[in-house]
């Protein structure tokens, strides 16, 4: 067997995300010492469903028939404009040009002086 125990295929328990990666993320919390296999599977499956929902919502709201591609800006727009996804704004900030960022920094320093 080449995979770890949690990556073995169990009938009715297939996942798209690698459970070993989800487990690694879960174990990065200092409060977690042991992860039950059922909890790991359910967390992985819930994560998959959340990512799928975010992608579908972002595609519907962002693409408007322009293309069949989902881009970073579509995800960032969904995070900014939709209350359920608003917690993602720090992870998916809107992209801005460097010159615009530098201009905003200059304005802030002028305002504070």
């Amino acid at each position: 067997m080449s995979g770890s125990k949690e990556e073995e295929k169990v009938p009715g328990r297939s996942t798209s995300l690698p459970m070993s990666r989800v487990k690694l993320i879960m174990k990065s919390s200092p409060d977690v010492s042991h992860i039950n296999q059922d909890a790991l599977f359910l967390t992985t499956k819930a994560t998959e469903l959340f990512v799928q929902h975010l992608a579908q919502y972002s595609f519907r709201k962002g693409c408007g028939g322009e293309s069949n591609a989902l881009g970073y800006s579509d995800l960032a727009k969904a995070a900014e404009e939709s209350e359920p996804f608003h917690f993602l704004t720090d992870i998916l900030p809107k992209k801005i040009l460097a010159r615009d960022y530098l201009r905003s920094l200059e304005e802030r320093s002028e305002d504070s002086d």
Side-chain angles (χ1 to χ4, degrees):
M1 293 188 169
S2 60
S4 65
K5 183 177 178 182
E6 64 265 12
E7 292 178 318
E8 293 175 8
K9 297 294 180 197
V10 177
R13 285 191 152 202
S14 63
T15 59
S16 298
L17 294 175
M19 289 199 312
S20 60
R21 293 289 177 113
V22 175
K23 185 176 184 177
L24 184 66
I25 294 168
M26 291 172 73
K27 286 192 144 232
S28 70
S29 171
D31 299 330
V32 175
S33 60
H34 176 72
I35 300 169
N36 178 300
Q37 289 301 306
D38 290 334
L40 176 60
F41 171 76
L42 291 173
T43 302
T44 304
K45 205 55 154 165
T47 303
E48 287 177 3
L49 293 172
F50 173 77
V51 170
Q52 181 181 17
H53 179 66
L54 173 62
Q56 288 172 342
Y57 178 88
S58 299
F59 186 79
R60 282 194 315 270
K61 296 295 182 184
C63 288
E66 296 171 8
S67 70
N68 285 329
L70 178 65
Y72 178 89
S73 60
D74 300 318
L75 297 170
K77 181 179 177 185
E80 184 177 319
E81 295 178 359
S82 175
E83 183 62 33
F85 300 123
H86 194 71
F87 73 98
L88 295 172
T89 54
D90 291 339
I91 299 168
L92 294 167
K94 284 179 75 174
K95 285 186 176 180
I96 62 171
L97 297 174
R99 68 173 174 255
D100 295 336
Y101 178 71
L102 293 173
R103 188 178 311 125
S104 70
L105 284 178
E106 288 173 5
E107 289 172 2
R108 284 186 202 167
S109 67
E110 290 172 2
D111 289 344
S112 65
D113 289 340

